[in-house]
Amino acid sequence: MAKEGPNWDGLLKWSLSHADATNPPRNLSEEDRKWFMEAMQAQTVDVVKRMKEITLVMQTPEQVLESQGVTSQDIQDMLDELQEHVESIDMANDLHSIGGLVPLLGYLKNAHANIRAKAAEVVSTIVQNNPRSQQLVMEANGLEPLLSNFTSDPDVTARTKALGAISSLIRHNKPGIAAFRLANGYAALRDALSSESPRFQRKALNLIHYLLHENRSDCNVVTELGFPRVLMHLASSEDGEVREGALRGLLELAKDRTGEDAAGSSSIEENEKLKQILLERIEGISSMSPEDLGAAKEERQLVDSLWNTCYNEPSSLREKGLVVLPGDDASPPPDVASKHFEPPLRAWAANRYEDNTPPSNNEKKQAPLLIGLGPPPPRNSSSGGGVAGEENNRDTST
């Protein structure tokens, strides 16, 4: 089946032909202007149409899809495509207006773990840095199934994706944070830190740091829930990012007690344990190779800051010159040329994805989707009781 949509090869050649900086700009002919506008508008029209088709599939009962040979992998591929479309904030907000948000949230309860995980990933894309979609998901009660998957899904990938969606949903969203707290979200985060999955732990640590940084009063809550002991355990993790996340959390808690005695306000046992952990990290950092020291820049600074906050003195890392190494503050020269030599079409595409992750450049694959309520009509049919056809599907890895 021929690929639908604008002729991007022709559009790129047209753009490059009008991007010659050696010649003065020339006026476009009416024919060129019309062709260009039609090419650009075709993309938006196709996306909206395609999102409506995907919505129709999501609204179709699962047993009907199964009877027509649609597999869980087909649904996952369809959600991959939907995720690319909703990377645009406008398209993300339009998903609710065309009836697609509620069935998408319904996929969070699907029997297949891969569909639950992918649906959570699409929700995360929709709400990320998007207050309007955050509100729409909250109003559609989308936080509840996300919390359920985060806390109790038997599949760790589905749990991790649900946590990522929750993190995107409640960031800079006061009603979302309040709902998360009321749902005993902090206890769920504490339990997540006991997982054997470093990736799951990292996501939990990142959200804990954000919440404590934004809501200082919550430091008392997490302390009462026993977070300091769990964080001290993770500060010795073999995973470097987990160690850094745990140290950041401990530093936030220590800063909250600086009005008192940061070390003295903890139990003697916890204080001694923290000091021992920091001494072990100092010893480990001191024995690192130059390459490992470069990769552990943030950890070095966190250990020193935590020691200084708790014990009111610099750590021995500072005496050894290991807090800031030569070249740590070096930054690459500013890029002053690329914008001047960037083709207009590429610059336009970059602006579209300024706040989102651009689509993967991996080879795309064709996948059958969109099966109607009745038997599939012929491939060339443009009418019938259902939706038919084969569309390009995105093959992205998460």
Side-chain angles (χ1 to χ4, degrees), residues 15-29:
S15 177
L16 292 174
S17 69
H18 290 78
D20 185 0
T22 61
N23 294 322
R26 63 182 180 84
N27 293 328
L28 298 179
S29 68

PDB file of all heavy atoms in Angstrom, residues 15-29:
ATOM      1  N   SER A  15      12.725  22.902  -0.330  1.00  0.00           N
ATOM      2  CA  SER A  15      13.252  23.747   0.731  1.00  0.00           C
ATOM      3  C   SER A  15      14.716  24.079   0.491  1.00  0.00           C
ATOM      4  O   SER A  15      15.148  25.222   0.633  1.00  0.00           O
ATOM      5  CB  SER A  15      13.077  23.040   2.087  1.00  0.00           C
ATOM      6  OG  SER A  15      13.641  23.803   3.109  1.00  0.00           O
ATOM      7  N   LEU A  16      15.497  23.060   0.119  1.00  0.00           N
ATOM      8  CA  LEU A  16      16.920  23.284  -0.118  1.00  0.00           C
ATOM      9  C   LEU A  16      17.149  24.224  -1.294  1.00  0.00           C
ATOM     10  O   LEU A  16      18.089  25.031  -1.286  1.00  0.00           O
ATOM     11  CB  LEU A  16      17.621  21.940  -0.369  1.00  0.00           C
ATOM     12  CG  LEU A  16      17.696  20.995   0.833  1.00  0.00           C
ATOM     13  CD1 LEU A  16      18.274  19.651   0.407  1.00  0.00           C
ATOM     14  CD2 LEU A  16      18.549  21.610   1.934  1.00  0.00           C
ATOM     15  N   SER A  17      16.290  24.135  -2.287  1.00  0.00           N
ATOM     16  CA  SER A  17      16.457  25.003  -3.448  1.00  0.00           C
ATOM     17  C   SER A  17      16.191  26.463  -3.118  1.00  0.00           C
ATOM     18  O   SER A  17      16.614  27.360  -3.856  1.00  0.00           O
ATOM     19  CB  SER A  17      15.519  24.552  -4.577  1.00  0.00           C
ATOM     20  OG  SER A  17      14.164  24.814  -4.240  1.00  0.00           O
ATOM     21  N   HIS A  18      15.476  26.709  -2.014  1.00  0.00           N
ATOM     22  CA  HIS A  18      15.193  28.085  -1.611  1.00  0.00           C
ATOM     23  C   HIS A  18      16.010  28.503  -0.404  1.00  0.00           C
ATOM     24  O   HIS A  18      15.720  29.497   0.245  1.00  0.00           O
ATOM     25  CB  HIS A  18      13.695  28.228  -1.284  1.00  0.00           C
ATOM     26  CG  HIS A  18      12.810  28.132  -2.488  1.00  0.00           C
ATOM     27  ND1 HIS A  18      12.503  26.916  -3.059  1.00  0.00           N
ATOM     28  CD2 HIS A  18      12.186  29.092  -3.232  1.00  0.00           C
ATOM     29  CE1 HIS A  18      11.711  27.125  -4.117  1.00  0.00           C
ATOM     30  NE2 HIS A  18      11.500  28.420  -4.239  1.00  0.00           N
ATOM     31  N   ALA A  19      17.070  27.713  -0.072  1.00  0.00           N
ATOM     32  CA  ALA A  19      17.867  28.011   1.106  1.00  0.00           C
ATOM     33  C   ALA A  19      19.296  28.372   0.739  1.00  0.00           C
ATOM     34  O   ALA A  19      20.196  28.254   1.545  1.00  0.00           O
ATOM     35  CB  ALA A  19      17.863  26.811   2.056  1.00  0.00           C
ATOM     36  N   ASP A  20      19.536  28.787  -0.488  1.00  0.00           N
ATOM     37  CA  ASP A  20      20.879  29.153  -0.935  1.00  0.00           C
ATOM     38  C   ASP A  20      21.228  30.531  -0.396  1.00  0.00           C
ATOM     39  O   ASP A  20      20.707  31.552  -0.845  1.00  0.00           O
ATOM     40  CB  ASP A  20      20.925  29.128  -2.464  1.00  0.00           C
ATOM     41  CG  ASP A  20      22.336  29.377  -2.981  1.00  0.00           C
ATOM     42  OD1 ASP A  20      23.243  29.554  -2.150  1.00  0.00           O
ATOM     43  OD2 ASP A  20      22.519  29.400  -4.208  1.00  0.00           O
ATOM     44  N   ALA A  21      22.155  30.572   0.584  1.00  0.00           N
ATOM     45  CA  ALA A  21      22.502  31.844   1.219  1.00  0.00           C
ATOM     46  C   ALA A  21      23.362  32.727   0.331  1.00  0.00           C
ATOM     47  O   ALA A  21      23.578  33.897   0.640  1.00  0.00           O
ATOM     48  CB  ALA A  21      23.245  31.573   2.541  1.00  0.00           C
ATOM     49  N   THR A  22      23.873  32.165  -0.790  1.00  0.00           N
ATOM     50  CA  THR A  22      24.731  32.967  -1.659  1.00  0.00           C
ATOM     51  C   THR A  22      23.921  33.885  -2.558  1.00  0.00           C
ATOM     52  O   THR A  22      24.460  34.821  -3.126  1.00  0.00           O
ATOM     53  CB  THR A  22      25.602  32.048  -2.523  1.00  0.00           C
ATOM     54  OG1 THR A  22      24.749  31.235  -3.346  1.00  0.00           O
ATOM     55  CG2 THR A  22      26.458  31.137  -1.636  1.00  0.00           C
ATOM     56  N   ASN A  23      22.639  33.618  -2.709  1.00  0.00           N
ATOM     57  CA  ASN A  23      21.793  34.443  -3.562  1.00  0.00           C
ATOM     58  C   ASN A  23      20.753  35.167  -2.722  1.00  0.00           C
ATOM     59  O   ASN A  23      20.312  34.656  -1.690  1.00  0.00           O
ATOM     60  CB  ASN A  23      21.073  33.573  -4.606  1.00  0.00           C
ATOM     61  CG  ASN A  23      22.060  32.944  -5.584  1.00  0.00           C
ATOM     62  OD1 ASN A  23      23.026  33.586  -5.970  1.00  0.00           O
ATOM     63  ND2 ASN A  23      21.810  31.688  -5.948  1.00  0.00           N
ATOM     64  N   PRO A  24      20.357  36.344  -3.124  1.00  0.00           N
ATOM     65  CA  PRO A  24      19.328  37.076  -2.379  1.00  0.00           C
ATOM     66  C   PRO A  24      17.997  36.325  -2.447  1.00  0.00           C
ATOM     67  O   PRO A  24      17.733  35.583  -3.397  1.00  0.00           O
ATOM     68  CB  PRO A  24      19.242  38.419  -3.116  1.00  0.00           C
ATOM     69  CG  PRO A  24      19.759  38.136  -4.488  1.00  0.00           C
ATOM     70  CD  PRO A  24      20.808  37.085  -4.319  1.00  0.00           C
ATOM     71  N   PRO A  25      17.177  36.455  -1.410  1.00  0.00           N
ATOM     72  CA  PRO A  25      15.881  35.760  -1.428  1.00  0.00           C
ATOM     73  C   PRO A  25      15.012  36.257  -2.578  1.00  0.00           C
ATOM     74  O   PRO A  25      15.071  37.417  -2.970  1.00  0.00           O
ATOM     75  CB  PRO A  25      15.270  36.139  -0.074  1.00  0.00           C
ATOM     76  CG  PRO A  25      15.966  37.384   0.339  1.00  0.00           C
ATOM     77  CD  PRO A  25      17.354  37.300  -0.210  1.00  0.00           C
ATOM     78  N   ARG A  26      14.217  35.338  -3.126  1.00  0.00           N
ATOM     79  CA  ARG A  26      13.343  35.722  -4.214  1.00  0.00           C
ATOM     80  C   ARG A  26      11.902  35.444  -3.821  1.00  0.00           C
ATOM     81  O   ARG A  26      11.621  34.624  -2.962  1.00  0.00           O
ATOM     82  CB  ARG A  26      13.687  34.949  -5.491  1.00  0.00           C
ATOM     83  CG  ARG A  26      13.486  33.444  -5.380  1.00  0.00           C
ATOM     84  CD  ARG A  26      13.898  32.757  -6.668  1.00  0.00           C
ATOM     85  NE  ARG A  26      13.738  31.322  -6.627  1.00  0.00           N
ATOM     86  CZ  ARG A  26      12.611  30.688  -6.879  1.00  0.00           C
ATOM     87  NH1 ARG A  26      11.506  31.388  -7.186  1.00  0.00           N
ATOM     88  NH2 ARG A  26      12.537  29.364  -6.824  1.00  0.00           N
ATOM     89  N   ASN A  27      11.008  36.119  -4.418  1.00  0.00           N
ATOM     90  CA  ASN A  27       9.589  35.941  -4.133  1.00  0.00           C
ATOM     91  C   ASN A  27       9.105  34.605  -4.690  1.00  0.00           C
ATOM     92  O   ASN A  27       9.523  34.175  -5.756  1.00  0.00           O
ATOM     93  CB  ASN A  27       8.771  37.080  -4.748  1.00  0.00           C
ATOM     94  CG  ASN A  27       9.077  38.406  -4.083  1.00  0.00           C
ATOM     95  OD1 ASN A  27       9.388  38.444  -2.897  1.00  0.00           O
ATOM     96  ND2 ASN A  27       8.995  39.481  -4.856  1.00  0.00           N
ATOM     97  N   LEU A  28       8.220  33.953  -3.931  1.00  0.00           N
ATOM     98  CA  LEU A  28       7.658  32.692  -4.381  1.00  0.00           C
ATOM     99  C   LEU A  28       6.547  32.955  -5.383  1.00  0.00           C
ATOM    100  O   LEU A  28       5.774  33.902  -5.234  1.00  0.00           O
ATOM    101  CB  LEU A  28       7.096  31.909  -3.197  1.00  0.00           C
ATOM    102  CG  LEU A  28       8.072  31.491  -2.107  1.00  0.00           C
ATOM    103  CD1 LEU A  28       7.309  30.747  -1.015  1.00  0.00           C
ATOM    104  CD2 LEU A  28       9.162  30.599  -2.682  1.00  0.00           C
ATOM    105  N   SER A  29       6.491  32.081  -6.356  1.00  0.00           N
ATOM    106  CA  SER A  29       5.366  32.171  -7.273  1.00  0.00           C
ATOM    107  C   SER A  29       4.116  31.682  -6.558  1.00  0.00           C
ATOM    108  O   SER A  29       4.186  30.969  -5.557  1.00  0.00           O
ATOM    109  CB  SER A  29       5.631  31.300  -8.513  1.00  0.00           C
ATOM    110  OG  SER A  29       5.628  29.934  -8.157  1.00  0.00           O
TER     111      SER A  29
END
